[in-house]
Amino acid sequence: MSVNPSRKSVSVLVPLALPEPYDYEVPAGLIAEPGSYVIVPLGAQEILGVVWGEGTGTFDAKRLKPIREVLDVPPMPEASRRFIDWMSQYTLSPRGSVMRLAIRAPGALEPQRMRIAYRLVDTRPARMTPARMRVVETAADQFARTVRELAEEAGVSDGVVRGLVDAGALVPVELPGEAAFPEIDFASAGKSLSAEQAEAAEVLRARVAQKSFSALLLDGVTGSGKTEVYFEAVAEALRQGRQALILLPEIALTSQFLARFEARFGVKPAEWHSELSTRERTRVWRGVAEGRARVVVGARSALFLPFAELGLIVVDEEHEAAFKQDEGVTYHARDMAVVRASLGSFPIILSSATPSLETAVNVEQGRYERVALAQRHGAAEMPTIIAIDMRNDPPERGRWLAPKLVAEIGAALAAGEQAMLFLNRRGYAPLTLCRTCGHRIECPQCTAWLVEHRFRRELVCHHCGYTAPVPKACPSCGAEESLIACGPGVERIAEEVAELFPEARTSVLSSDNLRGPLSHEEAFRAIEAREVDIVIGTQIVAKGHHFPWLTVVGVVDADLGLENGDLRAAERTFQLLQQVAGRAGRAERPGRVYLQTYMPEHTVMRALVAGDRDAFLARESEARERVSLPPFGRLAGVVVSSTNAALAQKWARELARAAPRAENISVLGPAPAPLALLRGRTRLRFLVKATRNVNIQAYMQAWLGPLKVPGAVRVSVDIDPYSFL
Ligand code: ADP
Ligand code: ZN
């Protein structure tokens, strides 16, 4: 193959499920450097891509297509590109699919000159349809929007908007410059820190000042001021002219958190999460790329923002399972954040009151440094945790709260304090059963019971969202008035509370009765303002909130998380309950936490009651090490699924046959997944277990790479799985 030296070529990665970049010709006059965002022809389309490097020379130079356009955006930084390469190899996801995560701000890459926006004027067309009215109402705030944005916000087609443009009701304007990012005041001092906090902050600042990779666990009990302390590290990064990223589980990204940031730094940080508008996404993405946005507080996908000068990542609540992305490109954002820090040569701070076993072991083995905060800030004491043995102190028939817990709630209310009941189960009852024939109402598309939601008068599948009205008669035997609700969800607890404390003001917090972030904020504000006496909630209430008047916390079913028996069940239950317990007694008033359990002798309950986290972690660690489970061994999950059950089974068998033999690796399965049917797809699972020294990615590639699986069958691989459903 002869390469014409007068023609320059580069390799361009496109955001499709493709493993490798393609070569393109760089026409004279265009400058395409590594990282440049470009428009290239692909098949019949033109598509956005990123220049990944020099041309590979593996394509026929004479037939290379030219790059059409180089976009006016700062090139994707080298560290971001290496991060994508690394992640693709580690997660076994096509490079293009990983890269797609990094360009999820469509507007940001549109050439800015193309952005023509429209503003409403007084002219109205002769014919006003309801759809046109909606557009007019949307545009009435006088903000300029593109046709697409207007159509999206008003819920109409682009054509409706164009109709109004043609009629002169909307006039084109230059889109006003994006709102600027206000200066962050990192120079003025934060809260005056306690001796313990100041010492911790000093270590963190020193790590940032070193400008090299290091990983540090900020290990402090809930309420010890971890946030205040890591803010000092953020301030240090800013002082050095670098950017900082604070990663939070999406659920913890509240206005309370943003307000604390503002209290420390004078302005709100840039935010990045799934509920941002397209416009805000565009603004933040560009702001980050151009270095105008200095601090981003975001959910896991913020890792893929094109930071030009990132100098620090903080992962708050690092133990949270919510950092694991289970679909599409599967990755654990905490682990990937460590990689990102290493590739960018800057420090990472992992913060938690209940560190994950992975992190605890990394500390123990000296890979991560540990800085501890042992005391709650100010006068606050750690709450007392008490187990209520439900075998000895059972609730009345048909009730779920033990007399002792009821009495404690009553006492708190009498003292003008607040109580919280925690049950990690949405809806009214997790199962509906026919008393006559024993039939259980199942989801038609999933291996799951339908959950009764009494407020909405519906049965709902929590896996696929299928809903059906609650039937009058049993769908199986036809008996009337025979269906009974089994077990409690938060709605049922609310019903019991209303009977027990008719005077009390209650608030039920779960993801399905609070729609949108605003209603969350409103609910939390009402609790803070003491407009609520008893809070009943799912895990939404467990995280990060600070309610000074909350003194009694009751965990309705402390055993719930232990039921599913996966390898992290005990660890997660411990973390969650410890978090929930941390809501109690955060100010001057001491907190009491009651765990309703049928297993008070279980190691999780004993550790919680004794307040002995480290002993618990040590025991968990030994148990995992004995059987070579993570972090002492490696795991990969493989799910074979299809809407055609026979085909799924056939291919599961094919996979089993094709699995190469290798030392220190075993392939377990196939077995029907616990969720054997999900959204109508039959699912079979393999679990690959290997020792730590094994390159599990290479093994998986050798196994799955050569297989030609038909399109009707999906084989998804999950390295370091957290879900085994
Ligand atoms: P954590 O993140 O460890 O749970 P926080 O940082 O949320 O703890 O602190 C708990 C509460 O104590 C917050 O309201 C915080 O503002 C307050 N606090 C912590 N440290 C200080 C301090 N040095 N001065 C004043 N208030 C503080
Ligand atoms: Zn379902």
Side-chain angles (χ1 to χ4, degrees):
M1 192 170 64
S2 71
V3 178
N4 182 345
S6 66
R7 286 194 183 180
K8 183 171 160 42
S9 77
V10 291
S11 65
V12 173
L13 186 62
V14 292
L16 301 174
L18 298 167
E20 294 305 327
Y22 290 149
D23 283 359
Y24 285 90
E25 186 196 324
V26 185
L30 275 191
I31 298 175
E33 50 182 317
S36 288
Y37 296 89
V38 294
I39 303 291
V40 291
L42 186 78
Q45 305 172 33
E46 298 210 330
I47 185 170
L48 171 74
V50 175
V51 175
W52 222 247
E54 292 295 306
T56 59
T58 50
F59 300 86
D60 182 352
K62 284 195 289 294
R63 299 175 59 185
L64 289 188
K65 293 191 177 149
I67 287 176
R68 294 268 189 268
E69 191 182 346
V70 178
L71 302 183
D72 183 20
V73 186
M76 183 184 282
E78 159 94 15
S80 293
R81 282 178 283 128
R82 294 294 81 82
F83 178 55
I84 289 168
D85 287 337
W86 196 97
M87 239 187 89
S88 155
Q89 284 194 350
Y90 188 85
T91 64
L92 295 173
S93 311
R95 248 199 286 197
S97 305
V98 181
M99 197 267 272
R100 189 164 55 203
L101 302 175
I103 53 169
R104 282 219 180 125
L109 293 154
E110 269 171 34
Q112 299 292 295
R113 61 178 185 277
M114 299 286 287
R115 290 176 67 84
I116 298 166
Y118 294 89
R119 217 162 46 75
L120 190 68
V121 291
D122 285 338
T123 318
R124 293 285 175 277
R127 200 172 61 84
M128 279 303 285
T129 62
R132 285 181 165 185
M133 260 328 284
R134 280 207 297 281
V135 176
V136 168
E137 279 160 16
T138 304
D141 60 14
Q142 290 296 314
F143 280 119
R145 291 175 180 79
T146 61
V147 169
R148 197 74 272 283
E149 285 168 345
L150 264 174
E152 223 163 68
E153 275 184 58
V156 301
S157 70
D158 290 5
V160 174
V161 179
R162 289 213 188 83
L164 285 167
V165 172
D166 294 342
L170 293 168
V171 296
V173 288
E174 296 242 316
L175 192 66
E178 293 162 343
F181 291 89
E183 279 306 303
I184 296 180
D185 174 16
F186 53 82
S188 45
K191 294 210 163 87
S192 71
L193 301 180
S194 69
E196 187 187 54
Q197 291 173 337
E199 210 173 300
E202 198 42 51
V203 178
L204 267 51
R205 268 196 299 266
R207 290 301 158 269
V208 177
Q210 279 164 358
K211 300 190 180 180
S212 59
F213 172 69
S214 59
L216 180 149
L217 168 65
L218 180 58
D219 179 1
V221 297
T222 48
S224 58
K226 294 186 292 296
T227 317
E228 305 297 338
V229 169
Y230 73 62
F231 277 170
E232 295 314 303
V234 170
E236 180 63 29
L238 294 173
R239 204 168 290 133
Q240 294 176 3
R242 303 189 73 171
Q243 293 166 298
L245 167 62
I246 302 173
L247 282 183
L248 289 170
E250 184 118 20
I251 189 172
L253 232 167
T254 59
S255 67
Q256 216 181 24
F257 184 88
L258 301 174
R260 286 185 66 179
F261 186 94
E262 192 173 5
R264 169 64 182 87
F265 292 108
V267 296
K268 290 225 163 67
E271 290 172 62
W272 187 263
H273 52 80
S274 63
E275 295 197 2
L276 283 191
S277 67
T278 316
R279 174 200 293 243
E280 189 56 12
R281 249 166 211 265
T282 298
R283 188 176 84 94
V284 172
W285 196 97
R286 275 196 94 101
V288 168
E290 290 166 6
R292 290 178 288 113
R294 306 307 296 172
V295 179
V296 175
V297 174
R300 59 191 175 213
S301 60
L303 264 183
F304 301 99
L305 286 170
F307 289 97
E309 302 160 310
L310 194 54
L312 173 68
I313 300 180
V314 177
V315 183
D316 201 350
E317 312 282 8
E318 68 88 25
H319 61 277
E320 268 299 321
F323 284 123
K324 181 71 201 292
Q325 163 78 36
D326 285 325
E327 275 171 39
V329 177
T330 62
Y331 64 93
H332 198 299
R334 181 232 314 149
D335 298 347
M336 294 306 122
V338 173
V339 173
R340 178 67 183 80
S342 152
L343 291 170
S345 298
F346 57 77
I348 179 163
I349 297 168
L350 309 178
S351 176
S352 177
T354 51
S356 61
L357 191 61
E358 278 76 4
T359 298
V361 168
N362 276 323
V363 168
E364 197 180 292
Q365 300 182 344
R367 281 189 291 269
Y368 295 0
E369 182 179 10
R370 172 173 177 265
V371 170
L373 294 173
Q375 284 139 27
R376 278 197 158 179
H377 172 70
E381 302 269 334
M382 290 307 288
T384 315
I385 301 183
I386 301 133
I388 297 179
D389 186 339
M390 298 291 271
R391 296 165 306 189
N392 301 334
D393 191 11
E396 287 172 38
R397 244 186 96 76
R399 298 247 159 131
W400 311 96
L401 304 178
K404 169 139 184 81
L405 178 54
V406 174
E408 291 293 336
I409 296 171
L413 298 191
E417 299 164 359
Q418 294 169 310
M420 175 187 281
L421 288 168
F422 172 78
L423 176 61
N424 206 7
R425 224 187 225 154
R426 295 181 280 141
Y428 183 83
L431 172 65
T432 305
L433 181 86
C434 172
R435 218 171 359 204
T436 310
C437 73
H439 176 74
R440 299 162 168 220
I441 303 187
E442 263 192 309
C443 175
Q445 322 184 71
C446 305
T447 314
W449 312 125
L450 292 182
V451 177
E452 182 182 352
H453 285 244
R454 198 158 281 193
F455 294 168
R456 282 154 56 186
R457 297 167 193 277
E458 275 175 341
L459 295 173
V460 180
C461 172
H462 284 181
H463 294 285
C464 72
Y466 171 88
T467 59
V470 183
K472 284 223 157 42
C474 170
S476 175
C477 73
E480 298 213 2
E481 315 262 304
S482 178
L483 295 173
I484 47 171
C486 294
V490 280
E491 293 179 5
R492 196 167 200 176
I493 299 302
E495 187 180 87
E496 183 169 335
V497 164
E499 285 165 20
L500 291 167
F501 303 102
E503 311 281 284
R505 298 161 300 174
T506 62
S507 170
V508 179
L509 275 74
S510 83
S511 59
D512 50 355
N513 63 6
L514 298 174
R515 299 220 176 255
L518 275 181
S519 59
H520 277 81
E521 298 306 344
E522 168 52 24
F524 291 132
R525 187 207 56 77
I527 300 169
E528 258 189 293
R530 297 172 74 195
E531 290 161 21
V532 170
D533 302 308
I534 306 178
V535 182
I536 301 151
T538 60
Q539 58 173 347
I540 285 191
V541 299
K543 319 286 171 202
H545 295 284
H546 190 66
F547 305 128
W549 287 87
L550 180 66
T551 55
V552 168
V553 168
V555 176
V556 176
D557 185 353
D559 309 335
L560 186 60
L562 296 170
E563 275 166 16
N564 74 354
D566 80 41
L567 83 106
R568 293 185 183 85
E571 183 192 346
R572 278 198 202 162
T573 303
F574 180 86
Q575 288 162 346
L576 181 60
L577 297 186
Q578 182 81 26
Q579 272 307 308
V580 174
R583 295 313 108 214
R586 287 175 66 95
E588 295 78 40
R589 293 155 179 267
R592 294 164 316 279
V593 179
Y594 297 89
L595 308 176
Q596 298 199 137
T597 174
Y598 287 90
M599 308 186 267
E601 69 292 339
H602 194 286
T603 50
V604 169
M605 306 308 153
R606 299 238 298 251
L608 286 164
V609 169
D612 199 350
R613 186 199 78 187
D614 292 340
F616 172 75
L617 282 174
R619 244 193 321 269
E620 270 293 293
S621 168
E622 269 166 43
R624 296 234 200 126
E625 189 163 18
R626 241 188 340 262
V627 288
S628 298
L629 282 172
F632 303 98
R634 297 182 192 282
L635 287 183
V638 178
V639 173
V640 179
S641 71
S642 174
T643 51
N644 178 334
L647 207 56
Q649 277 144 7
K650 169 175 180 287
W651 276 91
R653 283 192 303 271
E654 294 282 334
L655 255 67
R657 249 196 303 277
R661 284 186 194 287
E663 227 175 297
N664 296 326
I665 292 196
S666 47
V667 176
L668 312 172
L675 261 174
L677 192 66
L678 178 63
R679 296 184 189 99
R681 299 179 77 88
T682 299
R683 305 165 75 242
L684 295 109
R685 260 190 178 280
F686 291 88
L687 189 64
V688 183
K689 266 190 80 179
T691 52
R692 266 196 77 95
N693 58 345
V694 163
N695 181 343
I696 201 167
Q697 283 83 3
Y699 178 83
M700 302 297 288
Q701 227 139 26
W703 175 20
L704 303 173
L707 289 175
K708 295 276 168 282
V709 182
V713 177
R714 198 183 300 150
V715 176
S716 44
V717 176
D718 187 3
I719 303 287
D720 304 335
Y722 276 64
S723 166
F724 300 88
L725 290 177

